Amino acid sequence: RLGGSVSLPDLDLQPEQRAFADIELDDDGRVRRGLLMMWDAAGQVHFSLPLQLVLHYLKREQINLEPDPADEHGVMLGDGVLKRFKTNDGAYLNADDGGYQILMDFGLANASLEQVSLSQVLDERVDPAMLEGRIVLFGMVASSTNDRHETPLSYGWNASGAMEGIKLHAQLADQMLRIAYGVSGPVTVPATSLVLLVAGVLALMGALLGIVPGNLSTQTWVFLGSVFSLLTLSVVAFHWRLWWPGVYWALVFAGAFL
């Protein structure tokens, strides 16, 4: 899946010198998932550019991908787990989970992405100490390249706008490094059974609120406050790398109330 297959270029490169740079888009055109690995028809695994860079960076510390003892289909990197995305995780329904994907947390602020131009490099105006011991990516950020993508951070409070492909790769590499060093954990989602249980409870509460006699103004304020709380919960939870389907729960509650 993930579109049609393409033939690998005939290049005399070792596997650790090759990587793909595919970016996975959701149906609304936004990027929320990072693609780390894909398998070809022969069963050969291929790594993405961010993963390949991270593995090279961690090689000096003898950190590599290891099987996840808690998930036969998952892998660990250093001290953390690269939690594999599944088709119905979070608010997704029958999403394409081909290859090995993870949910992105966009924990690297735009202000933390140091950037220098090619002319600065050619004119030797870049301090070598700035690059030492760091992952460096070369790419284009000009709007004419048509390589800008919407993310969950593109709109709303403190919006950062569309993000260039090279910065998305940097975000994903940074996330994997934080996981490997135990600085942060993976984005986690509640089990489907828990999501459905909470939805059922909210549906019952919404129906009771709508049919129980009472002051209409009070009921309206309770309804609005409940919906606001559910939406706020999903936003706050995401900052703790928990993807709670607040919008889905709010819709269930509202539908039962109305």
Side-chain angles (χ1 to χ4, degrees):
R1 297 200 291 174
L2 292 173
S5 61
V6 295
S7 300
L8 291 174
D10 186 18
L11 299 175
D12 186 20
L13 298 175
Q14 297 300 315
E16 63 271 14
Q17 297 176 296
R18 299 194 299 260
F20 61 83
D22 297 53
I23 293 175
E24 179 70 1
L25 302 179
D26 284 346
D27 290 339
D28 62 356
R30 298 193 187 188
V31 178
R32 297 180 178 89
R33 295 170 283 159
L35 184 59
L36 305 186
M37 292 178 272
M38 290 194 290
W39 287 262
D40 59 27
Q44 178 67 38
V45 64
H46 301 276
F47 294 158
S48 69
L49 175 62
L51 178 57
Q52 195 73 276
L53 290 172
V54 167
L55 291 177
H56 277 287
Y57 184 84
L58 296 174
K59 189 175 182 179
R60 59 185 180 178
E61 301 178 46
Q62 297 183 329
I63 296 177
N64 207 334
L65 294 174
E66 302 287 346
D68 180 5
D71 182 0
E72 62 177 339
H73 302 294
V75 296
M76 297 184 66
L77 183 63
D79 294 332
V81 175
L82 299 177
K83 186 173 177 58
R84 190 171 190 172
F85 170 78
K86 296 182 176 64
T87 184
N88 293 321
D89 277 353
Y92 287 98
L93 181 62
N94 297 325
D96 186 352
D97 59 358
Y100 197 108
Q101 307 174 40
I102 64 172
L103 291 169
M104 297 181 64
D105 64 9
F106 297 95
L108 182 62
N110 270 334
S112 302
L113 285 168
E114 294 191 60
Q115 183 175 315
V116 296
S117 66
L118 179 60
S119 60
Q120 287 177 285
V121 176
L122 295 177
D123 293 341
E124 299 183 353
R125 289 184 285 126
V126 178
D127 184 358
M130 174 185 175
L131 310 178
E132 186 176 354
R134 307 178 72 175
I135 292 178
V136 180
L137 293 95
F138 290 84
M140 301 180 67
V141 295
S143 57
S144 59
T145 60
N146 195 30
D147 187 29
R148 295 173 61 84
H149 306 275
E150 304 292 341
T151 74
L153 307 181
S154 298
Y155 302 101
W157 179 75
N158 200 27
S160 59
M163 191 174 295
E164 294 83 359
I166 194 69
K167 292 183 179 180
L168 284 170
H169 295 315
Q171 288 277 359
L172 191 51
D174 171 78
Q175 180 176 344
M176 285 187 283
L177 284 176
R178 285 186 280 109
I179 291 175
Y181 287 131
V183 176
S184 61
V187 178
T188 58
V189 297
T192 302
S193 57
L194 177 60
V195 172
L196 295 177
L197 176 62
V198 173
V201 172
L202 289 172
L204 179 60
M205 293 174 59
L208 290 174
L209 181 64
I211 63 176
V212 172
N215 184 281
L216 181 60
S217 176
T218 301
Q219 287 179 316
T220 301
W221 279 111
V222 171
F223 166 73
L224 293 176
S226 300
V227 171
F228 177 78
S229 297
L230 288 170
L231 297 177
T232 302
L233 171 65
S234 64
V235 174
V236 173
F238 189 76
H239 283 283
W240 291 93
R241 294 174 181 82
L242 300 172
W243 193 345
W244 293 99
V247 174
Y248 167 66
W249 286 338
L251 290 174
V252 169
F253 179 78
F257 173 78
L258 299 175

